[in-house]
Amino acid sequence: MRRLVFGLVAVLFMSGTLGCSLIRSFCGGFHAPELSFNRVDLQDISLTGITVNVHFNLKNDNPVGIRIAQLAYDFRVNNHPFLAGHPPNGLTINPDTISDLSFPAHVEFRDLAATIEEFLHQDTANYTASGNIGVQTPIGVLTFPLSHSGSFPVPKLPDIQIQQPTLNNITLSSAHLTVPIALHNKNGFSIPFGGLSTQVFIGGAPAIAPTIPNQSALAPNETRVVPLGVDVNFMQAGMAVANAIRNRQANVQLRGTANIGGLQVPINLNQNLVFH
């Protein structure tokens, strides 16, 4: 019987037949909807951006449906505003249900610092979600505040290191080395790896090293070692470099860029290494 009365009141209200005071007398037992924060989903995570999807629960424990009449939503990361999606106006919340209201916002890291690489050096980023939602009910439009704040971990660039080289061959005029380059993905998601373009210096003298081509993506938390073949011409490098290599100890410098996750990551490594 209660459901029938509420249904009749809802129909008359939508049609404009009943006035507000009469509606309130019919709906003395109407329960105001309840809005509460539910959860945050982090999606589409990469080195260039992330989607932060904030969810709220709207509880309607009445035997008649209600609908969203108005929405205002503001989403910010480090106090920078980003456009966000939201449930459509007119969305109906069925009787006796709890509905999930989703507010996804895609965050481009390039908007948060002078360069993406600069932003990726942060450990966390703070976000705030605020606004209000107006719900059309048989007793009029009820307005509820939307509010939640939190933080998310900022993705990290991979670590790049030179490992101990191997002296494969040496003659009076030249030497051939293998210089292992280790890349460690510190993130819980895979990262596309577009290869390395490098310059190698042994003992300060330039050596010949090929460009490493595109490879498969770095898996979550993967450490991958990429061998780099290096040729040193002693006529060009000088006897000091030749003697250092023969003694299996020299300074190795690696300069260039790595195409990782769509970013051109600069490389400038300099280490004194003992050769195998």
Side-chain angles (χ1 to χ4, degrees):
M1 182 66 181
R2 180 171 174 264
R3 184 179 294 273
L4 179 61
V5 171
F6 270 100
L8 178 61
V9 169
V11 170
L12 294 175
F13 173 77
M14 297 300 179
S15 66
T17 306
L18 291 181
C20 183
S21 60
L22 186 56
I23 288 172
R24 291 182 184 275
S25 67
F26 270 106
C27 298
F30 182 82
H31 298 159
E34 297 177 10
L35 183 70
S36 60
F37 168 74
N38 181 1
R39 69 187 190 279
V40 171
D41 293 332
L42 301 180
Q43 304 167 347
D44 306 322
I45 307 173
S46 71
L47 293 180
T48 58
I50 190 173
T51 296
V52 182
N53 197 352
V54 184
H55 296 259
F56 292 87
N57 282 340
L58 183 59
K59 179 181 179 181
N60 175 27
D61 62 355
N62 297 286
V64 294
I66 57 177
R67 62 181 175 84
I68 296 176
Q70 57 191 36
L71 272 171
Y73 185 71
D74 181 73
F75 182 81
R76 294 173 179 265
V77 176
N78 292 354
N79 207 33
H80 184 93
F82 289 92
L83 293 176
H86 55 74
N89 284 343
L91 176 68
T92 298
I93 311 301
N94 292 326
D96 299 314
T97 60
I98 298 177
S99 290
D100 176 82
L101 304 183
S102 175
F103 296 82
H106 186 69
V107 178
E108 290 286 344
F109 296 153
R110 64 187 176 189
D111 296 328
L112 294 169
T115 65
I116 293 178
E117 290 81 3
E118 179 182 327
F119 174 77
L120 294 178
H121 282 96
Q122 302 181 30
D123 291 328
T124 60
N126 299 317
Y127 65 84
T128 58
S130 61
N132 58 74
I133 180 171
V135 179
Q136 185 77 62
T137 75
I139 59 173
V141 175
L142 302 180
T143 302
F144 303 91
L146 296 166
S147 180
H148 177 70
S149 61
S151 63
F152 60 82
V154 174
K156 294 301 177 187
L157 290 169
D159 281 334
I160 303 176
Q161 295 182 342
I162 306 172
Q163 293 189 337
Q164 188 175 13
T166 298
L167 178 57
N168 301 311
N169 184 45
I170 186 167
T171 68
L172 292 176
S173 61
S174 67
H176 179 73
L177 312 171
T178 297
V179 179
I181 311 300
L183 300 98
H184 174 58
N185 180 8
K186 298 181 285 185
N187 302 287
F189 57 89
S190 62
I191 300 176
F193 179 28
L196 295 168
S197 175
T198 61
Q199 291 180 299
V200 177
F201 297 83
I202 306 294
I208 299 174
T211 297
I212 296 175
N214 294 358
Q215 299 197 5
S216 60
L218 294 170
N221 303 305
E222 177 189 359
T223 297
R224 182 181 302 177
V225 178
V226 181
L228 184 65
V230 177
D231 290 301
V232 182
N233 185 319
F234 294 154
M235 293 293 291
Q236 297 175 349
M239 290 307 299
V241 173
N243 289 333
I245 293 176
R246 289 190 179 100
N247 292 327
R248 296 179 179 268
Q249 185 171 343
N251 177 270
V252 179
Q253 187 174 11
L254 184 70
R255 300 176 187 169
T257 57
N259 186 341
I260 300 178
L263 301 177
Q264 296 297 319
V265 180
I267 301 172
N268 191 358
L269 303 175
N270 193 329
Q271 294 177 242
N272 292 318
L273 296 171
V274 176
F275 301 167
H276 287 298

